Amino acid sequence: MKILKDEDLCPAAVMRGAIDALETAFRAKAAGEMVSPPRHHVSFPKRGDIVFTVGGIDGERPLAGFRAYETFNGGQHSQVVAVWRADTAELQGVILGERLGQIRTGAIGGVAIRHLSAPTARTVGIVGSGAQARTQLIAAAAVRDISSARVFSRNPGNCATFAEEMQLQLGIAVEPVTSAARAVADADIVLCATSSDMPVIDASELKAGVHINTIGPKTLKGHELGLDVADMAGIIATDSPEQTRAYASPFFLSGTIHEKRMIDLAAIVAGLAAGRTSPLDTTLFCSVGLTGTEVIVASAIFDTI
Amino acid sequence: MKILKDEDLCPAAVMRGAIDALETAFRAKAAGEMVSPPRHHVSFPKRGDIVFTVGGIDGERPLAGFRAYETFNGGQHSQVVAVWRADTAELQGVILGERLGQIRTGAIGGVAIRHLSAPTARTVGIVGSGAQARTQLIAAAAVRDISSARVFSRNPGNCATFAEEMQLQLGIAVEPVTSAARAVADADIVLCATSSDMPVIDASELKAGVHINTIGPKTLKGHELGLDVADMAGIIATDSPEQTRAYASPFFLSGTIHEKRMIDLAAIVAGLAAGRTSPLDTTLFCSVGLTGTEVIVASAIFDTI
């Protein structure tokens, strides 16, 4: 049984295995072999909630587990993720902290990039310089032969640190730039991982054939990308159509012509729906964080660490 | 943040602190300051369930956490218990394995013995020689000045091992005997911790004024103590009247004259209901395992280890 904390998890080292494991999980989802029930909340008066997400897949190597996190007031939050082998009842291990969630979201983005971006994609434009921006770029580099990236963030210090760290970690040129438009201009892949409630780029700044991952806010009340980007996209996909319909504030594409054409990433991975069909297709992936996927990624990490 | 496994937990070392912490929790329960919702099950087709119990108390040092366990087919089962400080969101720690549950049940028994047995109780009779029998005796010795014990188990080898181990651990005389009747004869405290579906002792074998903890089966379909013992008892208490009404198979006192007179141990601990009133009162405690108490005991262990 393994017990891992944030300091034990190197996103770049585990990303490829996490992406591969999630592909298997998305295929299981398409085949109806994934268990991914709605979140379960327990309230503690005046304090907040403990929230449980549960997930598992059946098949040759069935897994089951959960993630638990709290919404109490406090500075440091630690999630608890546990995974069992469902065929032997063996507790594979437990992961504590915040990093697994970032790796998970990165790996979901990696699956989307593998199945939607142009196979020849070489350049990445990033808006945002936080933990999610890092794991998205690591995921892009795990599935495409990335040669260079440009990053923009409102905070020039964070932007420079991001560029320096990522350049070192991934061995590619990463250039900090002074506007979002400059970051995404000519990029084959665009990664938006901000906390912005207002669109950070215009569709006109993107090149035809680009693939975009949007990680940040995506509700009607606030969204880091506008409808113009959705209008431009030939394909719009998400990891959980179910969850886009269950947001407390409606999803930013609700009530638009785009709502019905959103495709489940699982269907694309399983070959049940078409992804990109030409180099000029613009593709948009809306990352919502499919419930239960932390369990899949944690299991993949236990297998390799 | 602490991470503990079975080998880190010595029941005798942590029992007193666990009992004290549970007393505080039972007082909080009586005051309506304990959160202890029904179990939550998630099913994995063909495999089994993951079950979550959640618990917490408010007050000066608010705590919240959960226990998760599975019902998959397999030899080794490990539970996961996690506790947060609800006022700071700090994850106090995680305990993995099976031993915490035994310590928790022992400590609940200890609270019952402290509040229901005669303060002068010196001798213990035990039926059963498993892990639960051990933690019940450890709990009795933590709250009463026990000088000797007798133990009976169907398996003479286990019985002898139990006696030897407990004698060494607790520094009291522990004698293995050849019948349940001999174990409980003249005992001030009787601990039943068997898996028997049939009564293992007769009321006529007990002395007046005895206190009894029943840990094993307690449903109409199977029960280690019969109605004759309930008939003899002046006081019948349980740690969760709510849970006795929620058993899949009805509780063994359901439909009897005893059902309505069962007292919540929390009310006795809080002084809201009378416990023992005379040395000749026979008292019976039906241990059902109040949901959420693992969290309380885990927190007490984190405070001392």
Side-chain angles (χ1 to χ4, degrees), chain A:
Chain A
M1 188 214 307
K2 287 168 183 161
I3 299 167
L4 304 175
K5 296 198 245 183
D6 279 352
E7 58 266 33
D8 304 316
L9 301 179
C10 169
V14 300
M15 188 58 76
R16 181 61 184 263
I19 292 170
D20 290 345
L22 279 183
E23 274 209 12
T24 305
F26 280 118
R27 257 185 234 109
K29 182 178 185 237
E33 290 193 330
M34 185 170 189
V35 172
S36 173
R39 277 146 222 263
H40 176 64
H41 293 250
V42 177
S43 287
F44 293 81
K46 299 181 285 178
R47 304 298 175 180
D49 290 4
I50 297 181
V51 185
F52 298 93
T53 67
V54 174
I57 50 169
D58 211 345
E60 228 177 87
R61 197 158 171 287
L63 298 173
F66 68 86
R67 172 177 66 129
Y69 61 94
E70 38 64 37
T71 64
F72 304 142
N73 284 318
Q76 183 97 36
H77 295 273
S78 275
Q79 305 196 346
V80 178
V81 174
V83 187
W84 285 271
R85 293 279 308 265
D87 50 349
T88 63
E90 179 206 349
L91 181 62
Q92 264 203 296
V94 172
I95 299 183
L96 307 172
E98 297 194 279
R99 193 166 281 179
L100 176 67
Q102 296 152 8
I103 294 171
R104 184 279 300 248
T105 306
I108 290 175
V111 174
I113 292 167
R114 185 184 271 171
H115 288 271
L116 288 170
S117 75
T120 55
R122 294 288 174 272
T123 59
V124 179
I126 307 138
V127 188
S129 62
Q132 300 282 7
R134 282 171 167 75
T135 48
Q136 291 293 316
L137 179 55
I138 290 166
V143 297
R144 288 290 180 259
D145 187 13
I146 303 301
S147 57
S148 68
R150 291 202 194 101
V151 58
F152 170 72
S153 159
R154 276 182 315 177
N155 180 317
N158 290 348
C159 195
T161 306
F162 178 98
E164 209 173 311
E165 273 183 35
M166 288 294 105
Q167 180 150 327
L168 209 66
Q169 254 193 63
L170 298 176
I172 60 171
V174 183
E175 182 192 355
V177 295
T178 55
S179 75
R182 291 178 69 109
V184 304
D186 293 320
D188 299 324
I189 295 169
V190 165
L191 306 172
C192 268
T194 74
S195 57
S196 173
D197 278 342
M198 313 244 295
V200 294
I201 46 176
D202 278 350
S204 62
E205 294 158 354
L206 299 168
K207 81 167 180 190
V210 68
H211 170 75
I212 308 136
N213 277 0
T214 166
I215 317 302
K218 274 179 289 292
T219 66
L220 277 183
K221 266 170 60 185
H223 36 267
E224 64 178 357
L225 291 182
L227 285 184
D228 56 337
V229 176
D231 289 341
M232 177 190 180
I235 300 279
I236 305 179
T238 177
D239 49 326
S240 181
E242 305 81 1
Q243 282 168 232
T244 66
R245 291 188 288 266
Y247 275 121
S249 162
F251 191 60
F252 81 122
L253 300 180
S254 290
T256 72
I257 53 161
H258 303 299
E259 189 176 4
K260 293 235 168 85
R261 70 185 184 100
M262 262 205 305
I263 303 173
D264 190 340
L265 180 61
I268 295 173
V269 170
L272 304 175
R276 167 180 298 268
T277 52
S278 105
L280 289 180
D281 271 350
T282 293
T283 51
L284 171 63
F285 176 65
C286 301
S287 173
V288 299
L290 175 62
T291 292
T293 44
E294 298 87 357
V295 168
I296 309 299
V297 171
S299 178
I301 290 173
F302 292 135
D303 287 343
T304 58
I305 279 188

Side-chain angles (χ1 to χ4, degrees), chain A residues 40 46-47 58 76 89, chain B residues 40 46-47 58 76 89 96:
Chain A
H40 176 64
K46 299 181 285 178
R47 304 298 175 180
D58 211 345
Q76 183 97 36
Chain B
H40 176 64
K46 298 182 285 178
R47 303 299 176 180
D58 211 346
Q76 183 97 35
L96 307 173

Side-chain angles (χ1 to χ4, degrees), chain B residues 47-64:
Chain B
R47 303 299 176 180
D49 291 3
I50 296 182
V51 185
F52 298 94
T53 67
V54 174
I57 49 170
D58 211 346
E60 229 176 88
R61 195 157 174 289
L63 299 173

